[in-house]
Amino acid sequence: RSNPDLSYTRNRQTVEGASSYAGKYEGHWHKRLSMCRERALLGKILAHLDRSETLLDVPSGPGRLSDIFANACDRFHAVDSSLEMLRILRNLPLSPDPSSRAFEVETLSVASAFHLPFRDSSFDTVVSVRLSHHLPTAPDRAAHLVELLRVARRHVIVSFFDSGSLKNRL
């Protein structure tokens, strides 16, 4: 099996690389549109599930989806292979609405999405959005899914990337 963690995350390990990634969703209209659609869909999916006591986001990146989890779980855990991405997430205001309940990240863990440092069935819900298109082979994608299923107790939400999609061809 290849090691997609190394090739995908290499440029996100630095402060500059993580900051560049974090800002690109505000800088490009097509990325803003994509993020808006992605956030809406994830919000709808989470609204149909019972509230989770624990939720894991892997990879969490700089936390661009983290505020959505405030109404979906009691305890939020974030994993990314980049310490710099997690530092950005740690400084985000996750409860922009002053009337909403306090929402904090319980744990930030630097780890591979293929070797999560948690026991089996550790989280009610596990979310993995926007990683599959960085995984070059079907065995890589399968290994990632197996690891998500291992740590999940009830729900796994995964975005799927179709290499034949119009977006990918563009």
Side-chain angles (χ1 to χ4, degrees), residues 4-162:
D5 280 340
L6 293 177
S7 61
Y8 166 62
T9 63
R10 189 173 298 123
N11 64 341
R12 290 165 174 77
Q13 299 299 326
T14 66
V15 172
E16 297 80 18
S19 296
S20 173
Y21 180 85
K24 77 179 187 177
Y25 286 91
E26 286 84 38
H28 304 284
W29 69 267
H30 65 287
K31 293 209 179 276
R32 283 194 313 268
L33 177 62
S34 176
M35 186 171 71
C36 183
R37 293 178 64 209
E38 187 175 71
R39 290 172 60 84
L41 179 59
L42 183 57
K44 285 180 185 179
I45 291 169
L46 290 169
H48 282 85
L49 302 178
D50 293 334
R51 183 176 182 81
S52 294
E53 182 179 326
T54 55
L55 186 144
L56 173 67
D57 181 23
V58 56
S60 62
R64 67 185 173 80
L65 300 173
S66 298
D67 62 316
I68 294 172
F69 304 132
N71 294 320
C73 69
D74 296 326
R75 296 189 334 255
F76 173 65
H77 304 264
V79 168
D80 201 278
S81 61
S82 166
L83 176 61
E84 295 305 326
M85 293 285 221
L86 293 173
R87 285 182 174 151
I88 294 170
L89 183 145
R90 184 183 62 210
N91 293 316
L92 285 179
L94 294 180
S95 296
D97 178 2
S99 66
S100 67
R101 69 177 189 80
F103 177 70
E104 294 182 18
V105 179
E106 185 156 311
T107 61
L108 295 169
S109 301
V110 176
S112 164
F114 297 92
H115 305 287
L116 296 169
F118 306 108
R119 286 178 278 147
D120 294 358
S121 304
S122 293
F123 302 95
D124 292 322
T125 302
V126 177
V127 178
S128 183
V129 176
R130 288 199 167 236
L131 177 61
S132 66
H133 64 284
H134 296 289
L135 305 179
T137 68
D140 290 333
R141 291 185 292 276
H144 174 58
L145 187 56
V146 165
E147 186 65 356
L148 298 177
L149 291 167
R150 181 186 69 78
V151 299
R153 195 169 22 250
R154 295 186 346 202
H155 308 288
V156 175
I157 301 168
V158 180
S159 65
F160 173 76
F161 179 74
D162 179 6

